[in-house]
Amino acid sequence: MSSHTNENLTKITVPSIRTAKELGEKLVCLTAYDYPTARVVDEAGIELILVGDSAGNVVFGYENTIPVSMDEMLFAVKMARRGVKRALLIADMPYGSYHINPDETVRNALRFIKEGGAEAVKLEGGRNRLETIKRLVNEEIPVMGHLGLTPQSVNKLGGYRLQGKTQETAQTLIDDAKALEDAGVFSIVLEMVPRELAQLVTESVKVSTVGIGAGTDCDIQVLVLHDLLGLNFNEKQARFVRKYATLRETMTGAIQNWANDVKTGNYPNDNESFAMPNNVKIRGA
C-alpha cells in the first residue's frame, strides 16, 4: 500500500465509530507514540490511534505501565498529534492521573485535549470508575473504557492473566460493560478475556468493543504497534500477538552493515562527500 492512502478518506470521529458498529463494519486500532510512527499508521488507513501507556514498556523501557507519568504521556500525545490527519487520536490516562478526585481527573484529561490535541481519553476500570467517566463525558470529553486485564492493576491482579474465566467474574465483566455504556463511554477495550465472553459483551452493548486477546467478534481490534512489527524485546510474546514483520532484526542488520562500511572505508564514498570548488586552492599547515 502506498503512502498518503488516507488523503481522500473521511475523518474518523466518535459518532462514525458508532455508525460502523451499526453497519457491522470492522475497524482497527494501533498504538503510536511519536510523529513518524503515528504518521505511518495514519497513512496506512488505521481508524483509531491510541497513544497508550504501553509506551512505558515499548518506548520508555519500564518493566510495566505503572511508572508512566502525565508529562511523559502528554509529550507522546503531542508528537503523535503532528502525524495524524484522519484517525481518531486517543490518549491513555496513566496510572495515578484519574485516581485522586474528579477535579484532578478532568484537569488531566483537558490537558490531553487542549495541549496534546487528543480527541478522546482512555481509562481503566469498571463500576468503580462510573462517577469519573460521567464527569468527563459531562465536560465534553469522549471516553474509552477498559475492562478485563487492566495492566495498571498488575500489582492487584498478580500478573498478566486471562480474566473473566469463572461464572462470577464473567458476570461482573458483563455488568461493568453495561454500566460503562450507561455512563457514556463510546467504546470499551476488552483485554485478555475468553472469546465467548467478548462476543456476549459485544452483543449486549451498543457501543463498540475493542478486542485485544478477546477473539474475533469484537467491533474493533487493537494491538501494540511494536508487537505487530517485531520491534520489541519480549522473550515471550502474548498469545494474541501475531508478528507481521521483524523490524528489530532489520534495523540491527542495517546498522551493522553501515558500521562495517565505515570501518572498511566504503562509507562515505565520493558521491556521498563534498568536493572543494576547483577555483579554491588550500594549503596545508
Side-chain angles (χ1 to χ4, degrees):
M1 182 180 291
S2 61
S3 62
H4 305 290
T5 55
N6 65 353
E7 289 184 353
N8 297 319
L9 298 175
T10 305
K11 174 74 177 81
I12 301 298
T13 63
V14 167
S16 65
I17 291 172
R18 184 167 196 135
T19 300
K21 172 157 183 157
E22 293 170 353
L23 295 175
E25 296 177 0
K26 294 279 190 178
L27 301 181
V28 282
C29 176
L30 281 174
T31 61
Y33 317 98
D34 57 29
Y35 167 76
T37 51
R39 179 165 176 172
V40 168
V41 171
D42 189 57
E43 291 180 350
I46 301 303
E47 287 91 6
L48 297 87
I49 293 178
L50 171 65
V51 185
D53 64 354
S54 49
N57 305 80
V58 300
V59 176
F60 302 138
Y62 298 135
E63 186 174 338
N64 54 47
T65 64
I66 301 298
V68 181
S69 69
M70 268 296 299
D71 287 340
E72 287 170 327
M73 286 302 302
L74 187 60
F75 184 59
V77 171
K78 288 179 178 179
M79 289 191 291
R81 173 74 272 169
R82 299 180 190 116
V84 177
K85 291 184 178 180
R86 175 183 178 250
L88 185 78
L89 186 66
I90 306 159
D92 213 350
M93 298 196 70
Y95 184 67
S97 68
Y98 56 96
H99 298 71
I100 297 176
N101 60 61
D103 288 342
E104 181 169 306
T105 299
V106 170
R107 189 178 300 113
N108 287 330
L110 285 173
R111 291 192 71 193
F112 282 131
I113 305 296
K114 287 177 65 68
E115 298 176 40
E119 296 158 304
V121 299
K122 182 178 80 66
L123 53 83
E124 298 179 2
R127 280 165 286 182
N128 58 326
R129 302 290 178 221
L130 294 186
E131 295 309 312
T132 297
I133 291 169
K134 290 177 182 177
R135 176 72 186 276
L136 291 171
V137 173
N138 190 53
E139 304 299 348
E140 317 299 337
I141 301 172
V143 177
M144 173 183 280
H146 188 153
L147 298 173
L149 173 65
T150 47
Q152 293 176 9
S153 305
V154 63
N155 292 327
K156 177 181 178 181
L157 297 175
Y160 302 104
R161 300 187 179 94
L162 185 69
Q163 304 296 308
K165 296 185 294 183
T166 68
Q167 187 76 36
E168 181 181 359
T169 57
Q171 188 61 53
T172 296
L173 192 143
I174 294 170
D175 293 341
D176 279 346
K178 292 179 178 178
L180 290 184
E181 178 182 29
D182 291 340
V185 300
F186 72 93
S187 59
I188 304 170
V189 173
L190 301 177
E191 181 168 356
M192 285 190 68
V193 300
R195 57 182 177 269
E196 296 87 353
L197 177 57
Q199 179 182 4
L200 184 57
V201 172
T202 300
E203 294 171 350
S204 300
V205 296
K206 293 181 179 179
V207 298
S208 297
T209 56
V210 185
I212 178 167
T216 189
D217 293 299
C218 293
D219 303 298
I220 302 169
Q221 292 290 332
V222 61
L223 275 180
V224 172
L225 182 67
H226 290 60
D227 290 339
L228 183 150
L229 297 178
L231 191 57
N232 55 32
F233 300 88
N234 300 330
E235 293 183 4
K236 183 179 180 181
Q237 293 283 2
R239 179 172 177 171
F240 54 80
V241 171
R242 184 184 298 180
K243 191 184 297 185
Y244 283 81
T246 52
L247 291 196
R248 180 181 171 191
E249 289 82 352
T250 301
M251 291 173 67
T252 299
I255 292 167
Q256 291 174 337
N257 288 340
W258 172 77
N260 184 65
D261 283 348
V262 169
K263 293 176 180 180
T264 58
N266 291 324
Y267 178 89
N269 61 29
D270 288 347
N271 291 330
E272 295 159 336
S273 305
F274 300 92
M276 183 69 74
N278 291 332
N279 62 342
V280 176
K281 305 297 181 182
I282 56 174
R283 297 178 180 178

